[in-house]
Amino acid sequence: MTTTTLADPPELVPAPSPVPPPPLAPPIPAELEAVLKRMRFPYLRAAAPDVLATARAQRWDPAEVVRILLEAEVHGRTEATRRTHLKQAGLPSGKTFGSWKEEDSSIPLPTQHALMTLEWVGRAENLAVAGPSGTGKSHFAEALAHKAIDEGMQVAWFTLESLTATLGRANVDNSVARVVAKITRCDVIIVDDIGMLPSGQAAAEAFYRVIDAAYERRSVVVTSNLHPSGFDSIMPKTLATAAVDRLLHHAHIVMTEGSSLRLTQATTGHGVVPLAS
């Protein structure tokens, strides 16, 4: 006769209890809320419940509480200003130094690093980046613009065509002086891709007005397939000469060279997105 021994049933492991969400910090008193609204401290007001709850639990020194709350307000205002400046700048494509490959550029590394400090902006010096199409001129200029905005500066970005259109609209209601004054309130004014198309009297006048108004007050960055001394080949000579004279008086001139990075990427397959089958 065979005896069968039944195995002990497996021990049941209780399911873990769901972790309760952390308790919400109690709201700040209504009187304090009203004072912070009146003082226009929105970021401090938003941080206050959590900071005060933590301060009570950990017995922070009152001075530490004040410091942390004020830092929250400063950080919030700084970020809000940066977002506003970024929106107002009108940058074209979001290219920053995060996607910039220093080693692929023909700009010497010491020059790149010196320009990245933006110390020249503080001295109201200009920058001209000239060279063949596709050699990274616009990318470098836009990356500088993003860095300037991150450091609290205001930037205005134009092509020569968009600058001409902006001042052309201002001509209609005689507000050119006001528009030029608004543009030159920015710390950095960028005019991209000069020379891709011939430019007439209106473009030359627009370019000259901005260069003249910014002279020794603001930094102007231009990118072009032409050296600035050749701008008189694409726009009326008198205005081109006067604008370039002011542009280059306090300027860094950077020449790029080589074949188009865009073309190289395309011919090697790196710039092509495969089609879905």
Side-chain angles (χ1 to χ4, degrees), residues 44-67:
L44 189 157
R45 193 171 78 245
D50 287 332
V51 171
L52 294 178
T54 303
R56 282 191 292 268
Q58 299 185 6
R59 298 183 179 180
W60 285 355
D61 183 271
E64 181 72 1
V65 179
V66 173
R67 181 188 66 80

Side-chain angles (χ1 to χ4, degrees), residues 33-46:
E33 175 97 12
V35 169
L36 294 177
K37 282 184 177 180
R38 187 173 180 183
M39 295 294 292
R40 297 181 182 178
F41 286 163
Y43 307 103
L44 189 157
R45 193 171 78 245

Side-chain angles (χ1 to χ4, degrees), residues 56-264:
R56 282 191 292 268
Q58 299 185 6
R59 298 183 179 180
W60 285 355
D61 183 271
E64 181 72 1
V65 179
V66 173
R67 181 188 66 80
I68 291 175
L69 287 173
L70 290 178
E71 283 186 351
E73 183 65 28
V74 169
H75 177 74
R77 292 187 183 193
T78 299
E79 282 300 299
T81 298
R82 189 189 67 81
R83 290 191 297 270
T84 299
H85 288 176
L86 185 61
K87 182 177 180 180
Q88 291 174 343
L91 303 182
S93 59
K95 292 179 178 176
T96 69
F97 283 122
S99 58
W100 174 255
K101 296 181 179 179
E102 295 182 348
E103 65 280 2
D104 289 347
S105 174
S106 59
I107 304 173
L109 282 177
T111 301
Q112 293 186 46
H113 296 162
L115 292 171
M116 288 175 187
T117 67
L118 300 178
E119 292 176 0
W120 51 280
V121 176
R123 299 189 294 266
E125 296 168 354
N126 300 327
L127 171 64
V129 187
S133 179
T135 51
K137 303 183 301 295
S138 297
H139 187 158
F140 189 68
E142 187 176 357
L144 288 172
H146 276 282
K147 193 169 192 301
I149 290 170
D150 288 344
E151 294 190 12
M153 302 180 195
Q154 288 184 272
V155 174
W157 178 284
F158 297 96
T159 62
L160 186 55
E161 290 73 21
S162 68
L163 178 63
T164 305
T166 297
L167 294 195
R169 289 190 295 270
N171 264 323
V172 175
D173 59 2
N174 296 316
S175 63
V176 171
R178 187 174 75 245
V179 171
V180 169
K182 180 180 179 181
I183 292 171
T184 53
R185 280 198 292 270
C186 294
D187 302 280
V188 182
I189 303 154
I190 301 173
V191 185
D192 186 39
D193 261 351
I194 297 173
M196 296 304 293
L197 296 170
S199 304
Q201 183 74 16
E205 288 182 5
F207 185 60
Y208 171 77
R209 282 181 180 275
V210 170
I211 297 298
D212 183 54
Y215 179 58
E216 296 187 329
R217 296 177 53 245
R218 297 289 186 265
S219 289
V220 177
V221 178
V222 300
T223 73
S224 177
N225 60 318
L226 299 171
H227 188 285
S229 62
F231 284 1
D232 59 0
S233 66
I234 59 162
M235 61 178 68
K237 184 177 180 65
T238 301
L239 286 170
T241 301
V244 170
D245 179 64
R246 289 161 175 76
L247 175 69
L248 298 187
H249 185 206
H250 306 291
H252 304 272
I253 302 176
V254 175
M255 302 299 297
T256 62
E257 57 186 24
S259 58
S260 168
L261 297 175
R262 289 188 293 264
L263 183 60
T264 300

